Amino acid sequence: MTAPIDLSDLPGFTRPGDNRVHVTAFLGRTSTKDNQDPRTSIPGQASVCAARLTDSSEFDQYFWDVESGYTQLQDRSQHDDDYYAELGVPLRRDGGINDLLAAVEAGTITRVICERSDRAARDMLAILTVETFLERHHVELVYATEPPKQRPGALSASELHMRRGSQIHAEIFRAQMLESSGRGQREHAAQGYSHGAAPYPYISVIDPDAPVPDDRFLRRAKRRLAKHPDARRWAAVELMAQWRLREEADYRDIRDRLNADLDLYPYDRPGGQWSVQRIRKLLLNPRLTGYAVFNRRCNRAGWAPNPISEWTWSRQIAHPAVFTVGAWARMMRMDAAERLAGDPLGQLRYAAEQRGTALDLVRSDGLHAVYTIGGREVTLPAADPPQAAVDAVLTWLEAA
């Protein structure tokens, strides 16, 4: 209800923001240049947003990124100026979303206009984080595809319902896209096609028998692995596997043998030398068994390893094999045994993981620690449990 008489001449009648002179920033984002053309997408977004400018003819600053909307907020805006200059987008860029947030914190921006919420990010948590940050700093956020607000201040219930509804749809769409993409990638590997860079003894080649890229459902040519033209690479990896399996040589010994004759066992980068980690990574790569393998790591968890049970293997041998799956499995067991030697708790964790469970600490009094493993509680000395005690638990776990 309004006042019974006109009170507009009284001090304090005007609501905060009614006559505010805004410093307005444009916020935009498009996917990687392989999926969308930023030269048209970014200016197009700015044109849509410009229609919501009410007190100026243009934006004061332009913040936009060319990267996936699935990227975590702290990892956004990582490309340098040279990258953006090469894109040739005909719109000034004052930074990315993190630069925008810094400018907001510095108090140099009062309003942000974005085409829609998923242009800020596709992840709902990231969107809400940005919105909360702007609200805390009293910066107005306008989504150009939403109707104008009914009144200054907080969103009304209906406006909030519309905004959150669109963000929920964006989150669901994100999940659907990830599911569809994952299914396609798994089938891609199951058919024997290659993902990512070729391992040391291979090169990636276009499969002449695969569907042609002109097919309207196929965006890139499908590739398989083939032997590297430098035959020394193949011979070097075969020798590594022989030294490892027949002589049970450790990685340091193999490293020293390789580095003693780099002409015979060339490293894949000029001037480089073999390292323990490089050799270990190569010998434990399941793609050297001749099978295409996908989903070994989870990019949403910082490329942490996935359980072997979640890997996707090709239905049959897809490319030349350096060694058999059995030889690879033996090297995996040797590696696990070496890593766990002298680490009793590590042995228990590894054994639990192999059985689809975990070793979890329940409580500790400083002298003894109680763990759960395989649905049972186990009590061990808190500091440096003896190998004999761990072996007893391993024996029980094996029998269970």
Side-chain angles (χ1 to χ4, degrees):
M1 297 293 292
T2 59
I5 62 173
D6 183 8
L7 303 178
S8 59
D9 61 330
L10 294 180
F13 176 85
T14 302
R15 289 183 293 269
D18 281 355
N19 299 315
R20 190 179 187 185
V21 178
H22 282 291
V23 178
T24 307
F26 161 73
L27 174 61
R29 183 196 60 78
T30 189
S31 187
T32 57
K33 58 184 178 181
D34 289 336
N35 296 329
Q36 291 179 307
D37 187 350
R39 295 170 297 180
T40 56
S41 180
I42 295 296
Q45 294 174 43
S47 297
V48 173
C49 294
R52 299 298 294 271
L53 291 170
T54 57
D55 52 9
S56 62
S57 59
E58 61 182 19
F59 291 100
D60 295 283
Q61 291 181 284
Y62 295 84
F63 297 92
W64 49 271
D65 291 310
V66 178
E67 57 194 3
S68 171
Y70 303 139
T71 305
Q72 296 297 315
L73 197 59
Q74 66 272 16
D75 298 325
R76 293 279 299 275
S77 308
Q78 295 298 312
H79 296 301
D80 57 22
D81 293 339
D82 291 339
Y83 171 84
Y84 284 103
E86 291 174 1
L87 294 179
V89 177
L91 188 71
R92 191 180 90 232
R93 183 177 185 272
D94 299 297
I97 191 169
N98 287 321
D99 298 299
L100 167 68
L101 298 181
V104 166
E105 190 167 28
T108 60
I109 293 173
T110 64
R111 180 172 59 184
V112 175
I113 303 181
C114 184
E115 182 186 21
R116 58 179 188 265
S117 62
D118 64 343
R119 291 300 188 185
R122 286 197 179 277
D123 182 82
M124 192 169 181
L125 177 59
I127 297 170
L128 296 179
T129 300
V130 171
E131 291 183 0
T132 303
F133 186 88
L134 298 182
E135 182 180 359
R136 190 169 68 245
H137 288 83
H138 309 290
V139 173
E140 181 184 1
L141 173 62
V142 176
Y143 290 129
T145 54
E146 291 181 356
K149 291 172 60 177
Q150 299 173 358
R151 60 179 64 87
L155 294 172
S156 66
S158 60
E159 291 167 340
L160 187 63
H161 183 272
M162 178 183 296
R163 176 169 293 183
R164 294 293 177 258
S166 66
Q167 291 169 344
I168 289 172
H169 287 309
E171 184 81 357
I172 294 173
F173 175 75
R174 171 180 181 265
Q176 290 174 334
M177 290 294 291
L178 288 174
E179 288 176 4
S180 298
S181 174
R183 183 175 63 249
Q185 295 290 340
R186 289 191 294 272
E187 181 58 29
H188 181 86
Q191 294 180 16
Y193 297 117
S194 174
H195 286 83
Y200 173 79
Y202 296 100
I203 58 171
S204 178
V205 297
I206 295 176
D207 185 351
D209 299 323
V212 296
D214 300 80
D215 189 309
R216 65 192 181 98
F217 299 113
L218 188 66
R219 300 187 61 178
R220 293 190 181 95
K222 292 182 176 291
R223 293 177 172 271
R224 292 185 185 271
L225 297 180
K227 285 187 177 183
H228 196 281
D230 187 346
R232 295 176 300 171
R233 292 195 178 200
W234 192 269
V237 181
E238 284 184 324
L239 275 175
M240 291 184 211
Q242 290 176 19
W243 293 335
R244 183 71 169 152
L245 294 171
R246 296 178 183 176
E247 303 177 21
E248 298 188 359
D250 61 27
Y251 298 125
R252 289 185 296 273
D253 183 29
I254 296 175
R255 176 200 61 193
D256 294 340
R257 296 189 195 187
L258 296 176
N259 288 332
D261 193 344
L262 289 173
D263 289 332
L264 187 59
Y265 314 119
Y267 196 65
D268 51 359
R269 287 189 294 274
Q273 288 197 330
W274 291 98
S275 66
V276 166
Q277 186 59 29
R278 181 75 172 93
I279 295 166
R280 177 179 180 271
K281 182 178 179 181
L282 188 57
L283 291 179
L284 301 186
N285 189 333
R287 299 168 75 189
L288 271 63
T289 64
Y291 287 85
V293 185
F294 173 68
N295 199 38
R296 289 187 292 150
R297 292 187 176 273
C298 178
N299 62 351
R300 285 171 290 174
W303 296 106
N306 281 328
I308 295 177
S309 58
E310 295 182 10
W311 295 2
T312 297
W313 295 69
S314 58
R315 298 185 179 95
Q316 56 190 6
I317 295 289
H319 50 261
V322 179
F323 38 70
T324 66
V325 177
W328 170 81
R330 182 183 166 194
M331 286 189 283
M332 287 286 287
R333 295 188 187 96
M334 292 172 64
D335 180 78
E338 290 174 359
R339 284 189 295 112
L340 298 175
D343 181 11
L345 283 181
Q347 296 172 27
L348 284 181
R349 291 191 183 93
Y350 179 77
E353 290 171 1
Q354 296 305 300
R355 290 158 180 79
T357 183
L359 177 72
D360 295 315
L361 177 64
V362 178
R363 60 185 178 275
S364 175
D365 61 5
L367 294 177
H368 296 86
V370 178
Y371 300 89
T372 57
I373 182 172
R376 297 281 296 274
E377 285 194 351
V378 176
T379 302
L380 295 169
D384 299 325
Q387 187 66 52
V390 171
D391 288 342
V393 177
L394 289 171
T395 301
W396 162 77
L397 190 61
E398 186 70 30

